[in-house]
Coordinates of all heavy atoms in Angstrom, one line a residue:
D1 N 36.7 -4.5 129.0 CA 36.1 -5.7 129.5 C 37.0 -6.3 130.5 O 38.2 -6.3 130.3 CB 35.7 -6.6 128.4 CG 34.9 -5.9 127.3 OD1 34.3 -4.9 127.5 OD2 34.8 -6.6 126.2
F2 N 36.5 -6.9 131.5 CA 37.3 -7.6 132.6 C 36.5 -8.7 133.3 O 35.3 -8.7 133.4 CB 37.8 -6.5 133.5 CG 36.9 -5.6 134.1 CD1 36.3 -5.8 135.4 CD2 36.5 -4.5 133.5 CE1 35.5 -4.9 136.0 CE2 35.6 -3.5 134.0 CZ 35.1 -3.8 135.2
I3 N 37.2 -9.5 134.0 CA 36.7 -10.6 134.9 C 37.4 -10.2 136.2 O 38.5 -10.0 136.4 CB 37.2 -12.0 134.4 CG1 36.8 -12.1 132.9 CG2 36.6 -13.0 135.3 CD1 35.4 -12.1 132.7
I4 N 36.5 -10.3 137.3 CA 36.9 -10.2 138.7 C 36.6 -11.4 139.4 O 35.5 -11.9 139.5 CB 36.3 -8.9 139.4 CG1 36.6 -7.7 138.7 CG2 36.7 -8.9 140.9 CD1 35.8 -6.5 139.1
E5 N 37.6 -12.1 140.1 CA 37.3 -13.2 140.9 C 37.6 -12.9 142.3 O 38.7 -12.3 142.7 CB 38.2 -14.4 140.4 CG 37.8 -15.0 139.1 CD 38.5 -16.2 138.7 OE1 39.7 -16.1 138.5 OE2 37.9 -17.2 138.9
T6 N 36.6 -13.0 143.2 CA 36.8 -12.9 144.6 C 36.6 -14.2 145.3 O 36.3 -15.3 144.6 CB 35.7 -12.0 145.1 OG1 34.4 -12.5 145.1 CG2 35.6 -10.6 144.3
G7 N 36.7 -14.2 146.6 CA 36.5 -15.5 147.3 C 35.0 -16.0 147.2 O 34.8 -17.2 147.3
K8 N 34.2 -15.1 147.0 CA 32.7 -15.4 146.9 C 32.2 -15.6 145.6 O 31.3 -16.4 145.3 CB 31.9 -14.3 147.6 CG 32.3 -13.9 148.9 CD 31.5 -12.7 149.4 CE 32.0 -12.2 150.8 NZ 31.3 -11.0 151.2
S9 N 32.7 -14.9 144.5 CA 32.1 -14.9 143.2 C 33.0 -14.5 142.1 O 34.1 -14.1 142.3 CB 30.8 -14.0 143.2 OG 31.2 -12.7 143.4
T10 N 32.5 -14.8 140.8 CA 33.1 -14.3 139.7 C 32.3 -13.4 139.0 O 31.1 -13.5 138.8 CB 33.4 -15.5 138.7 OG1 34.3 -16.5 139.5 CG2 34.2 -15.1 137.5
I11 N 32.8 -12.3 138.6 CA 32.1 -11.2 138.0 C 32.7 -11.0 136.5 O 33.9 -10.6 136.4 CB 32.2 -9.9 138.8 CG1 31.6 -10.2 140.2 CG2 31.3 -8.8 138.2 CD1 32.1 -9.2 141.2
A12 N 31.8 -11.0 135.5 CA 32.2 -10.8 134.2 C 31.6 -9.4 133.8 O 30.4 -9.2 133.9 CB 31.7 -11.9 133.3
C13 N 32.4 -8.6 133.3 CA 32.0 -7.3 133.0 C 32.3 -6.8 131.6 O 33.5 -6.9 131.2 CB 32.5 -6.3 134.0 SG 31.8 -4.6 133.9
E14 N 31.3 -6.4 130.9 CA 31.5 -5.8 129.5 C 31.3 -4.3 129.6 O 30.3 -3.8 130.2 CB 30.4 -6.4 128.6 CG 30.5 -6.1 127.1 CD 31.4 -7.1 126.4 OE1 31.6 -8.2 126.8 OE2 31.8 -6.7 125.3
V15 N 32.1 -3.5 129.0 CA 32.1 -2.0 129.1 C 31.7 -1.6 127.7 O 32.4 -1.8 126.7 CB 33.4 -1.4 129.6 CG1 33.3 0.1 129.7 CG2 33.7 -2.0 131.0
K16 N 30.7 -0.8 127.6 CA 30.3 -0.2 126.3 C 30.3 1.3 126.2 O 29.7 2.0 127.2 CB 28.9 -0.7 125.9 CG 28.7 -2.3 125.8 CD 29.6 -2.8 124.7 CE 29.4 -4.2 124.5 NZ 30.3 -4.6 123.5
A17 N 30.9 1.9 125.2 CA 30.9 3.4 125.0 C 29.7 3.7 124.2 O 29.8 4.3 123.1 CB 32.2 3.8 124.4
T18 N 28.4 3.5 124.8 CA 27.3 3.8 124.1 C 26.2 4.2 125.1 O 26.3 3.8 126.2 CB 26.8 2.6 123.2 OG1 25.6 3.0 122.4 CG2 26.4 1.3 124.1
R19 N 25.2 4.8 124.7 CA 24.0 5.2 125.6 C 22.9 4.2 125.4 O 21.9 4.3 126.1 CB 23.5 6.6 125.2 CG 24.5 7.6 125.6 CD 24.0 9.0 125.4 NE 25.1 10.0 125.5 CZ 25.6 10.4 126.6 NH1 25.3 10.0 127.7 NH2 26.5 11.3 126.5
K20 N 23.0 3.2 124.5 CA 21.9 2.3 124.3 C 22.5 0.8 124.1 O 23.4 0.7 123.4 CB 21.1 2.7 123.0 CG 19.9 1.8 122.8 CD 19.1 2.4 121.7 CE 17.9 1.5 121.4 NZ 17.1 1.8 120.3
I21 N 21.9 -0.1 124.8 CA 22.4 -1.5 124.7 C 21.5 -2.2 123.7 O 20.3 -2.2 123.8 CB 22.3 -2.2 126.1 CG1 23.2 -1.4 127.1 CG2 22.7 -3.6 126.1 CD1 24.6 -1.3 126.7
G22 N 22.2 -2.9 122.8 CA 21.5 -3.7 121.8 C 21.7 -5.2 122.1 O 22.5 -5.7 122.9
S23 N 21.0 -6.0 121.3 CA 21.1 -7.6 121.5 C 22.6 -8.1 121.3 O 22.9 -9.0 121.8 CB 20.1 -8.2 120.6 OG 20.4 -7.9 119.2
D24 N 23.3 -7.4 120.4 CA 24.7 -7.8 120.1 C 25.6 -7.7 121.3 O 26.6 -8.3 121.4 CB 25.2 -7.1 118.9 CG 24.6 -7.6 117.6 OD1 23.9 -8.6 117.5 OD2 24.7 -6.8 116.6
D25 N 25.3 -6.8 122.2 CA 26.1 -6.4 123.3 C 26.2 -7.5 124.4 O 27.1 -7.5 125.2 CB 25.7 -5.1 124.0 CG 25.8 -3.9 123.0 OD1 26.8 -3.8 122.3 OD2 24.9 -3.0 123.1
F26 N 25.4 -8.6 124.2 CA 25.3 -9.7 125.2 C 26.3 -10.8 124.8 O 26.5 -11.7 125.6 CB 24.0 -10.1 125.4 CG 23.0 -9.2 125.9 CD1 22.4 -8.2 125.3 CD2 22.9 -9.3 127.4 CE1 21.5 -7.4 125.8 CE2 22.0 -8.3 128.0 CZ 21.4 -7.4 127.2
S27 N 26.7 -10.8 123.5 CA 27.5 -12.0 123.0 C 28.8 -12.3 123.7 O 29.0 -13.5 124.0 CB 27.7 -11.8 121.5 OG 28.5 -10.7 121.2
G28 N 29.5 -11.4 124.1 CA 30.8 -11.6 124.8 C 30.6 -12.3 126.2 O 31.3 -13.2 126.6
L29 N 29.5 -11.8 126.9 CA 29.2 -12.3 128.2 C 28.7 -13.7 128.1 O 29.0 -14.6 128.9 CB 28.2 -11.4 128.9 CG 28.8 -10.0 129.4 CD1 27.6 -9.2 129.9 CD2 29.9 -10.3 130.4
E30 N 27.9 -13.9 127.1 CA 27.3 -15.3 126.9 C 28.4 -16.3 126.6 O 28.4 -17.4 126.9 CB 26.2 -15.3 125.8 CG 24.9 -14.6 126.4 CD 24.4 -15.2 127.6 OE1 24.4 -16.4 127.8 OE2 24.0 -14.4 128.5
S31 N 29.4 -15.8 125.7 CA 30.5 -16.7 125.3 C 31.4 -17.0 126.5 O 31.8 -18.2 126.7 CB 31.3 -15.9 124.3 OG 32.5 -16.7 123.8
F32 N 31.6 -16.0 127.3 CA 32.3 -16.3 128.5 C 31.7 -17.2 129.4 O 32.3 -18.1 130.0 CB 32.7 -14.9 129.3 CG 33.3 -15.2 130.6 CD1 34.7 -15.6 130.7 CD2 32.7 -15.2 131.8 CE1 35.4 -16.0 131.9 CE2 33.3 -15.5 133.0 CZ 34.6 -15.8 133.0
K33 N 30.4 -17.1 129.7 CA 29.6 -17.9 130.6 C 29.7 -19.4 130.1 O 29.8 -20.3 130.9 CB 28.2 -17.5 130.6 CG 27.3 -18.3 131.5 CD 25.9 -17.8 131.6 CE 25.0 -18.7 132.3 NZ 23.6 -18.3 132.3
S34 N 29.6 -19.6 128.7 CA 29.8 -21.0 128.3 C 31.1 -21.5 128.4 O 31.2 -22.7 128.8 CB 29.4 -20.9 126.7 OG 28.0 -20.5 126.6
F35 N 32.1 -20.7 128.2 CA 33.5 -21.2 128.4 C 33.8 -21.5 129.9 O 34.3 -22.5 130.3 CB 34.4 -20.1 127.9 CG 35.8 -20.3 128.2 CD1 36.6 -21.3 127.6 CD2 36.4 -19.6 129.3 CE1 37.9 -21.5 128.0 CE2 37.7 -19.7 129.7 CZ 38.5 -20.6 129.1
F36 N 33.4 -20.5 130.8 CA 33.7 -20.7 132.2 C 33.0 -21.9 132.8 O 33.5 -22.5 133.7 CB 33.3 -19.3 132.9 CG 33.7 -19.2 134.3 CD1 35.0 -19.3 134.6 CD2 32.7 -19.0 135.3 CE1 35.4 -19.2 136.0 CE2 33.1 -18.9 136.7 CZ 34.5 -18.9 137.0
G37 N 31.7 -22.1 132.5 CA 31.0 -23.3 132.9 C 30.5 -23.2 134.4 O 30.0 -24.1 134.9
K38 N 30.7 -22.1 135.0 CA 30.2 -22.0 136.5 C 29.4 -20.7 136.5 O 29.3 -19.9 135.7 CB 31.3 -21.8 137.3 CG 32.3 -22.9 137.4 CD 33.5 -22.6 138.3 CE 34.6 -23.6 138.2 NZ 35.8 -23.1 138.9
K39 N 28.6 -20.6 137.7 CA 27.9 -19.5 137.9 C 28.7 -18.1 137.9 O 29.8 -18.2 138.5 CB 27.1 -19.6 139.2 CG 26.0 -18.5 139.4 CD 25.2 -18.6 140.7 CE 24.3 -17.5 140.9 NZ 24.8 -16.5 141.8
C40 N 28.3 -17.1 137.3 CA 28.9 -15.9 137.5 C 28.0 -14.7 137.4 O 27.0 -14.8 136.8 CB 30.0 -15.7 136.4 SG 29.6 -15.6 134.7
E41 N 28.3 -13.6 138.0 CA 27.5 -12.4 137.9 C 27.9 -11.8 136.5 O 29.2 -11.6 136.3 CB 27.9 -11.4 139.1 CG 27.6 -11.9 140.3 CD 26.1 -12.0 140.7 OE1 25.3 -11.1 140.1 OE2 25.7 -12.8 141.6
K42 N 26.9 -11.2 135.7 CA 27.3 -10.6 134.5 C 26.8 -9.1 134.5 O 25.7 -8.9 135.0 CB 26.6 -11.3 133.4 CG 27.2 -12.8 133.2 CD 26.4 -13.5 132.0 CE 24.9 -13.6 132.2 NZ 24.2 -14.1 131.2
F43 N 27.7 -8.3 134.2 CA 27.3 -6.8 134.0 C 27.7 -6.2 132.7 O 28.7 -6.7 132.1 CB 28.2 -6.0 135.1 CG 27.8 -6.1 136.5 CD1 28.0 -7.2 137.3 CD2 26.9 -5.1 137.0 CE1 27.7 -7.3 138.6 CE2 26.6 -5.1 138.4 CZ 26.8 -6.2 139.2
I44 N 26.9 -5.3 132.2 CA 27.2 -4.5 131.1 C 27.2 -3.1 131.8 O 26.2 -2.6 132.3 CB 26.3 -4.6 129.9 CG1 26.4 -5.9 129.3 CG2 26.5 -3.5 129.0 CD1 25.4 -6.1 128.1
L45 N 28.4 -2.3 131.7 CA 28.5 -0.9 132.0 C 28.4 -0.1 130.8 O 29.1 -0.4 129.8 CB 29.8 -0.7 132.8 CG 29.9 -1.6 134.0 CD1 31.3 -1.2 134.7 CD2 28.8 -1.6 135.0
Y46 N 27.6 1.0 130.8 CA 27.4 1.8 129.6 C 27.2 3.2 130.0 O 27.2 3.7 131.2 CB 26.3 1.2 128.8 CG 24.9 1.6 129.3 CD1 24.0 2.1 128.4 CD2 24.5 1.2 130.5 CE1 22.7 2.4 128.8 CE2 23.1 1.4 131.0 CZ 22.3 2.1 130.1 OH 21.0 2.3 130.5
L47 N 27.1 4.1 128.9 CA 27.0 5.5 129.2 C 25.6 6.0 129.4 O 25.3 7.2 129.6 CB 27.6 6.3 127.9 CG 29.1 6.1 127.8 CD1 29.5 6.8 126.5 CD2 29.9 6.6 128.9
G48 N 24.6 5.1 129.4 CA 23.2 5.4 129.6 C 22.9 5.8 131.1 O 23.8 5.7 131.9
K49 N 21.7 6.1 131.3 CA 21.2 6.5 132.6 C 20.4 5.5 133.4 O 20.2 5.6 134.6 CB 20.4 7.8 132.6 CG 21.3 9.0 132.1 CD 20.4 10.2 132.0 CE 21.2 11.4 131.5 NZ 20.5 12.6 131.4
D50 N 20.0 4.6 132.7 CA 19.0 3.5 133.4 C 19.6 2.3 133.9 O 20.6 1.8 133.2 CB 17.9 3.2 132.3 CG 17.1 4.3 131.9 OD1 16.8 5.2 132.8 OD2 16.7 4.3 130.7
S51 N 19.2 1.8 135.0 CA 19.7 0.5 135.5 C 18.6 -0.5 135.3 O 17.4 -0.2 135.7 CB 20.0 0.6 137.0 OG 21.1 1.4 137.2
Y52 N 18.9 -1.7 134.8 CA 18.0 -2.8 134.6 C 18.6 -4.0 134.4 O 19.8 -4.0 134.2 CB 17.0 -2.4 133.4 CG 17.7 -2.2 132.1 CD1 17.6 -3.2 131.1 CD2 18.2 -1.0 131.7 CE1 18.3 -3.1 129.9 CE2 18.9 -0.8 130.5 CZ 18.8 -1.8 129.6 OH 19.4 -1.7 128.3
D53 N 17.9 -5.1 134.4 CA 18.3 -6.5 134.1 C 17.8 -7.0 132.8 O 16.5 -6.7 132.6 CB 18.0 -7.4 135.3 CG 18.7 -7.0 136.6 OD1 19.5 -6.1 136.6 OD2 18.3 -7.6 137.6
D54 N 18.5 -7.6 132.1 CA 18.1 -8.2 130.9 C 18.9 -9.5 130.5 O 20.1 -9.4 130.6 CB 18.1 -7.2 129.6 CG 17.6 -7.7 128.3 OD1 17.0 -8.8 128.4 OD2 17.6 -6.8 127.4
R55 N 18.2 -10.6 130.2 CA 18.9 -11.9 129.9 C 19.9 -12.3 130.9 O 21.0 -12.8 130.7 CB 19.7 -11.7 128.5 CG 18.7 -11.3 127.5 CD 19.5 -11.0 126.2 NE 18.8 -10.3 125.3 CZ 19.1 -10.0 124.0 NH1 20.0 -10.6 123.4 NH2 18.3 -9.2 123.3
G56 N 19.6 -12.1 132.3 CA 20.4 -12.5 133.4 C 21.6 -11.6 133.5 O 22.5 -12.0 134.2
T57 N 21.6 -10.5 132.9 CA 22.7 -9.5 133.0 C 22.3 -8.3 133.6 O 21.2 -7.7 133.3 CB 23.2 -9.3 131.6 OG1 23.6 -10.5 130.9 CG2 24.4 -8.3 131.5
Q58 N 23.1 -7.8 134.5 CA 22.8 -6.5 135.1 C 23.4 -5.4 134.3 O 24.5 -5.3 134.1 CB 23.4 -6.4 136.6 CG 22.8 -7.5 137.4 CD 23.5 -7.7 138.7 OE1 23.5 -6.7 139.5 NE2 24.0 -8.8 139.1
I59 N 22.5 -4.6 133.8 CA 22.9 -3.3 133.0 C 22.8 -2.0 133.8 O 21.8 -1.8 134.4 CB 22.0 -3.3 131.7 CG1 22.1 -4.6 130.9 CG2 22.4 -2.1 130.9 CD1 21.2 -4.8 129.9
R60 N 24.1 -1.4 133.8 CA 24.1 -0.2 134.8 C 24.8 0.8 134.1 O 25.9 0.6 133.3 CB 24.9 -0.6 136.1 CG 24.3 -1.9 136.8 CD 23.0 -1.5 137.5 NE 22.5 -2.5 138.4 CZ 21.7 -3.4 138.0 NH1 21.1 -3.4 136.8 NH2 21.2 -4.3 138.9
P61 N 24.6 2.0 134.4 CA 25.5 3.3 134.1 C 26.9 3.0 134.7 O 27.0 2.4 135.8 CB 24.8 4.4 134.7 CG 23.4 4.1 134.9 CD 23.4 2.6 135.2
W62 N 27.8 3.3 133.9 CA 29.2 2.9 134.4 C 29.6 3.2 135.8 O 30.2 2.4 136.5 CB 30.2 3.3 133.4 CG 30.5 4.8 133.4 CD1 29.8 5.8 132.7 CD2 31.4 5.5 134.3 NE1 30.3 7.1 133.0 CE2 31.2 6.9 134.1 CE3 32.3 5.1 135.3 CZ2 32.0 7.9 134.7 CZ3 33.1 6.1 135.9 CH2 32.9 7.4 135.6
N63 N 29.2 4.4 136.3 CA 29.6 4.8 137.6 C 28.9 4.1 138.7 O 29.4 3.7 139.7 CB 29.5 6.4 137.7 CG 28.1 6.9 137.4 OD1 27.3 6.2 136.7 ND2 27.8 8.1 137.8
N64 N 27.6 3.9 138.4 CA 26.8 3.1 139.4 C 27.2 1.7 139.4 O 27.3 1.0 140.5 CB 25.3 3.2 139.1 CG 24.7 4.5 139.2 OD1 25.4 5.5 139.0 ND2 23.4 4.7 139.5
G65 N 27.5 1.1 138.3 CA 27.9 -0.3 138.1 C 29.2 -0.6 138.8 O 29.3 -1.6 139.4
I66 N 30.1 0.3 138.7 CA 31.5 0.1 139.4 C 31.3 0.1 140.9 O 31.8 -0.8 141.5 CB 32.5 1.2 138.9 CG1 32.9 0.9 137.5 CG2 33.7 1.1 139.9 CD1 33.8 2.0 136.9
E67 N 30.4 1.0 141.4 CA 30.1 1.0 142.8 C 29.5 -0.4 143.3 O 29.9 -1.0 144.3 CB 29.3 2.2 143.2 CG 30.0 3.5 143.2 CD 29.1 4.7 143.4 OE1 27.9 4.5 143.7 OE2 29.6 5.8 143.2
E68 N 28.6 -0.8 142.5 CA 27.8 -2.0 142.8 C 28.7 -3.3 142.7 O 28.7 -4.1 143.6 CB 26.7 -2.3 141.8 CG 25.7 -3.2 142.2 CD 24.4 -3.3 141.3 OE1 24.0 -2.2 140.8 OE2 23.9 -4.4 141.1
I69 N 29.6 -3.3 141.7 CA 30.6 -4.4 141.6 C 31.5 -4.4 142.8 O 31.8 -5.5 143.4 CB 31.4 -4.3 140.3 CG1 30.4 -4.6 139.1 CG2 32.6 -5.3 140.3 CD1 31.0 -4.3 137.8
L70 N 32.1 -3.3 143.2 CA 32.9 -3.2 144.3 C 32.3 -3.6 145.6 O 33.0 -4.1 146.6 CB 33.6 -1.8 144.4 CG 34.5 -1.5 143.4 CD1 35.0 0.1 143.5 CD2 35.7 -2.3 143.2
A71 N 31.0 -3.4 145.7 CA 30.3 -3.9 146.9 C 30.0 -5.4 147.1 O 29.5 -5.8 148.0 CB 29.0 -3.1 147.1
L72 N 30.2 -6.1 145.9 CA 29.9 -7.6 146.0 C 31.0 -8.3 146.7 O 32.1 -8.0 146.9 CB 29.9 -8.2 144.6 CG 28.7 -7.7 143.7 CD1 28.8 -8.2 142.3 CD2 27.4 -8.1 144.3

């Protein structure tokens, strides 16, 4: 898990070694968002194949997600 701060934005990223994302996988990002108190991009990178958004979080296969984060 990691946080990236650029001149434009803050990106919170949770990394999961699983092929399926469950409701418990959002808790760390939600906790960080509450602590941080500012707008941030939230990502979950995982071993699955599908890209989708859920609960304001961008869920991406790890390799696609890294490319997307680096492009921000």
Side-chain angles (χ1 to χ4, degrees):
D1 304 344
F2 52 94
I3 307 297
I4 299 172
E5 290 188 285
T6 69
K8 302 176 191 174
S9 61
T10 299
I11 302 157
C13 187
E14 185 93 18
V15 181
K16 299 293 182 186
T18 185
R19 295 186 190 283
K20 187 175 180 181
I21 299 301
S23 59
D24 292 344
D25 295 322
F26 294 86
S27 62
L29 290 173
E30 291 304 321
S31 179
F32 173 75
K33 182 181 174 187
S34 294
F35 168 79
F36 189 58
K38 300 176 190 173
K39 183 178 183 269
C40 67
E41 300 283 335
K42 298 181 296 178
F43 281 84
I44 294 178
L45 305 181
Y46 76 125
L47 298 175
K49 295 181 179 181
D50 297 323
S51 293
Y52 60 98
D53 295 352
D54 190 358
R55 303 176 201 190
T57 300
Q58 299 176 60
I59 301 167
R60 304 290 186 264
W62 70 270
N63 53 342
N64 298 27
I66 290 173
E67 290 176 2
E68 194 171 327
I69 288 168
L70 292 175
L72 292 176

